[in-house]
């Protein structure tokens, strides 16, 4: 007979040590964030900017919980390889339209050292938006190397490498409905 604990373990895909945030908790929090953003940005010109690719799943759910008119655009940067940051941020894909004078909300998967966000902030500030804020699905405050502070945070998490709900390890695991802690398969 299989124990409950080992049965749970067996259900996890290879490479996932444990589930950190189950799908129903994510859905509840995304709904709260959508409600808050809808209140805060009512009557304004909200443009959600998804940072590819990690924020795609979060952005897709979040935008459907926002009840005011808004639009979306995407930007893509690179700095991670495997589980470590290269420390060098590169712009791979820029916004389609000029965001000048608009209320920008950057949608990030996870803020870790904050270096990516600092780069993005500086870059977008030069385009003269009306306002610029950040909504991060996950936040690892213990790892921060910069002063950036997201206005909205889904969940604060400990210093662990996580995957799922859009977050990858070498392009895998983005499709998991929950957030799990990654562990090198033995
Ligand atoms: P930062 O520049 O803040 O150190 O890193 C931000 C980026 O690193 C995130 O947008 C994400 O792509 C990647 N990253 C940081 N921590 C994790 C993590 O735990 N899991 C995954 N999959 N990516 C992470």
């Amino acid at each position: 007979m299989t124990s409950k604990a080992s049965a749970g373990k067996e259900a996890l895909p290879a490479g996932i040590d444990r589930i950190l945030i189950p799908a129903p908790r994510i859905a509840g929090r995304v709904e709260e964030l959508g409600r808050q953003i809808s209140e805060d940005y009512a009557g304004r010109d909200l443009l959600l900017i998804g940072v590819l690719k990690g924020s795609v799943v979060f952005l897709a759910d979040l935008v459907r919980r926002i009840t005011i008119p808004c639009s979306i655009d995407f930007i893509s940067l690179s700095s991670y390889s495997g589980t470590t940051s290269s420390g060098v941020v590169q712009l791979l894909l820029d916004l389609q339209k000029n965001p000048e004078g608009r209320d920008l909300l950057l949608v990030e998967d996870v803020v870790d050292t904050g270096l990516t966000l600092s780069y993005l902030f500086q870059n977008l500030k030069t385009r003269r938006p009306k306002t610029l804020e950040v909504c991060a699905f996950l936040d690892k405050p213990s790892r921060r190397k910069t002063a950036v502070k997201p206005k909205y945070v889904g969940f604060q998490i400990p210093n662990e490498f996580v995957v799922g709900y859009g977050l990858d390890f070498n392009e895998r695991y983005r499709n998991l409905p929950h957030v799990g802690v990654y562990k090198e398969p033995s």
Side-chain angles (χ1 to χ4, degrees), residues 51-55 77 79-80 82-85 87 89 108-118 138 140 143-146 148 157-164 166-170 172 174 180 182:
V51 185
L52 292 174
K53 302 174 192 171
S55 74
L77 303 165
S79 92
Y80 262 67
T83 59
T84 48
S85 171
V89 182
E108 257 283 35
D109 53 356
V110 48
V111 185
D112 188 18
T113 62
L115 292 172
T116 309
L117 211 52
S118 289
L138 302 174
K140 292 186 200 174
R143 295 255 308 158
R144 202 71 93 253
K145 289 185 182 160
T146 64
V148 290
I157 59 166
N159 180 21
E160 302 204 73
F161 192 84
V162 293
V163 294
L167 288 101
D168 75 314
F169 172 73
N170 287 347
R172 285 193 58 207
R174 292 193 198 276
Y182 175 75

Side-chain angles (χ1 to χ4, degrees), residues 8-63:
K9 210 68 174 165
E10 278 161 22
L12 296 175
I16 305 300
D17 185 51
R18 64 182 197 281
I19 293 177
L20 195 63
I21 315 173
R25 253 189 94 200
I26 297 176
R29 184 69 188 123
V30 171
E31 188 171 353
E32 284 172 5
L33 287 172
R35 202 178 310 129
Q36 188 64 55
I37 291 167
S38 304
E39 271 175 44
D40 294 351
Y41 285 87
R44 294 164 67 184
D45 184 17
L46 176 60
L47 172 62
L48 300 167
I49 300 179
V51 185
L52 292 174
K53 302 174 192 171
S55 74
V56 165
V57 176
F58 176 45
L59 176 67
D61 284 347
L62 182 66
V63 77

Side-chain angles (χ1 to χ4, degrees), residues 3 9 27 40 77 93 123 143 155 176 180:
S3 76
K9 210 68 174 165
D40 294 351
L77 303 165
L93 174 87
N123 183 302
R143 295 255 308 158
F155 300 92
L176 297 181

